[in-house]
Amino acid sequence: MNCLRRSPLVSLQTTRVHGFPCAPQVRWSNSCTRSTSRILPSFSLRDKVCLVTGAARGLGNEFCRAFMRSGCTSIALLDLKQSEAQRAAEELVEFAGIVNEHLGHDALKVVGFDCDVSSEASVTEAFKRTLEEFGRVDAVVASAGIVENFPALAYPSDRIKRLYDINVHGAFFTAREAAKCMIPQGGGSIILVASMSANIVNVPQLQTPYNASKAAVKHMASSLAVEWATKGVRVNAPGYMMTKLTRVILSNNPELKRTWESLTPMGRMGEPEDLDGAVVFLASDASRFMTGSEMRIDGGYCST
């Protein structure tokens, strides 16, 4: 058997960050040893440029950290305020040092841009700035969104419009600008964060506009996936997890939290990190033949 110039790994050291295992660090030797790599290479996000909206906090920020743990070193964080997007970018750089202490800052590029996803012009400008920084975009996550609870008869019309502008129009503007970048380069992955609310009516909270918005996002993903399938652009829709927004609602309504937990076969609410594996899978080449699909991650809620 011929030996490679750098022989396969002889030891793997797995680091744990905030209780979660990170990608093993590979150590090379000059001896000829069979590889025992524990990670399917197609799951790696190395050399990919990732962009996430709503990235300053919540699900969006968690996705950025998941991408970093999966080898991504080029990330654009978009959020409403420039100061918050920039701060989140700086924190992600610090996080990268924890994940891999051998990663030099010259190998890492993380930027934060302000972006109001409800504004087509703002989304266009954010993607323009991202292309100026990186030259390409390989994976985009439309994570920005809001949820509110009002009875339908009393739901303020201005708040309904705001919710649709962010959840629906924002997802569409983000997907369209992503496709404009990806089609010329030969493809990419677009992830529109949906919800189990796209399929069922959550009880007992009253949130008809939110449910309808997520149903729109789910079908939007399927429709765009078919439209762009031959151009190498994949579009999928995962969901649904606990976010900072739902935490605020539940903190003021412990009975609602108990109800949700009792209706979930796993007996708990989903946490943002429970979605890490799905979003990395969808962003990576491991899902290269998957498009127009919904990944419902709900602890079994919709199965009962």
Side-chain angles (χ1 to χ4, degrees):
M1 181 177 69
N2 294 328
C3 293
L4 298 174
R5 188 169 185 178
R6 293 179 79 199
S7 63
L9 62 88
V10 294
S11 67
L12 286 171
Q13 181 178 7
T14 301
T15 306
R16 297 186 68 85
V17 178
H18 302 308
F20 297 96
C22 303
Q25 297 179 5
V26 180
R27 294 182 178 179
W28 298 88
S29 76
N30 293 323
S31 61
C32 183
T33 310
R34 173 179 286 184
S35 173
T36 57
S37 176
R38 303 175 187 176
I39 299 176
L40 189 66
S42 60
F43 279 93
S44 173
L45 296 179
R46 183 179 179 183
D47 299 326
K48 290 188 181 295
V49 177
C50 298
L51 178 151
V52 181
T53 70
R57 61 184 65 79
L59 285 179
N61 193 261
E62 176 62 30
F63 295 156
C64 292
R65 291 169 182 258
F67 289 161
M68 187 74 70
R69 291 197 295 268
S70 299
C72 181
T73 56
S74 301
I75 304 179
L77 293 82
L78 275 54
D79 214 287
L80 185 60
K81 296 181 179 180
Q82 176 65 43
S83 59
E84 294 184 1
Q86 183 60 38
R87 182 173 65 250
E90 293 169 356
E91 292 173 351
L92 190 60
V93 171
E94 295 178 4
F95 176 77
I98 298 173
V99 172
N100 188 347
E101 61 184 11
H102 303 294
L103 182 66
H105 280 200
D106 57 337
L108 181 67
K109 192 170 188 179
V110 180
V111 297
F113 296 137
D114 62 298
C115 179
D116 176 1
V117 297
S118 68
S119 163
E120 182 178 11
S122 182
V123 175
T124 299
E125 178 62 21
F127 271 85
K128 177 183 176 182
R129 296 170 70 184
T130 300
L131 283 180
E132 289 173 350
E133 288 287 343
F134 299 104
R136 61 183 294 118
V137 180
D138 299 292
V140 168
V141 185
S143 180
I146 62 173
V147 60
E148 294 179 311
N149 296 155
F150 289 100
L153 295 177
Y155 211 121
S157 59
D158 61 328
R159 301 188 79 86
I160 295 175
K161 183 180 185 304
R162 176 173 176 266
L163 183 143
Y164 282 122
D165 281 344
I166 295 172
N167 291 9
V168 181
H169 300 148
F172 181 78
F173 295 150
T174 300
R176 186 167 63 183
E177 290 307 311
K180 289 179 182 178
C181 299
M182 294 174 179
I183 291 173
Q185 70 190 28
S189 174
I190 299 172
I191 302 167
L192 306 183
V193 177
S195 169
M196 65 180 180
S197 301
N199 303 287
I200 53 94
V201 178
N202 306 75
V203 292
Q205 71 272 30
L206 304 174
Q207 53 184 42
T208 294
Y210 175 80
N211 295 347
S213 76
K214 289 305 181 180
V217 169
K218 174 191 170 184
H219 200 57
M220 182 190 302
S222 299
S223 301
L224 294 177
V226 172
E227 186 170 341
W228 296 332
T230 60
K231 302 182 185 301
V233 177
R234 299 182 293 107
V235 189
N236 293 286
Y240 154 86
M241 294 293 115
M242 173 81 83
T243 66
K244 183 177 180 180
L245 293 172
T246 53
R247 285 185 195 280
V248 172
I249 294 173
L250 294 178
S251 65
N252 297 321
N253 193 339
E255 182 59 33
L256 175 59
K257 182 175 185 294
R258 285 192 291 270
T259 299
W260 279 4
E261 291 173 341
S262 69
L263 293 172
T264 304
M266 285 192 171
R268 68 173 179 87
M269 298 295 298
E271 297 293 339
E273 55 267 21
D274 290 327
L275 203 53
D276 286 358
V279 76
V280 168
F281 169 67
L282 293 175
S284 73
D285 294 337
S287 59
R288 60 185 174 273
F289 197 58
M290 181 176 179
T291 195
S293 297
E294 176 195 23
M295 293 185 71
R296 197 175 64 229
I297 303 171
D298 61 0
Y301 188 103
C302 293
S303 299
T304 58

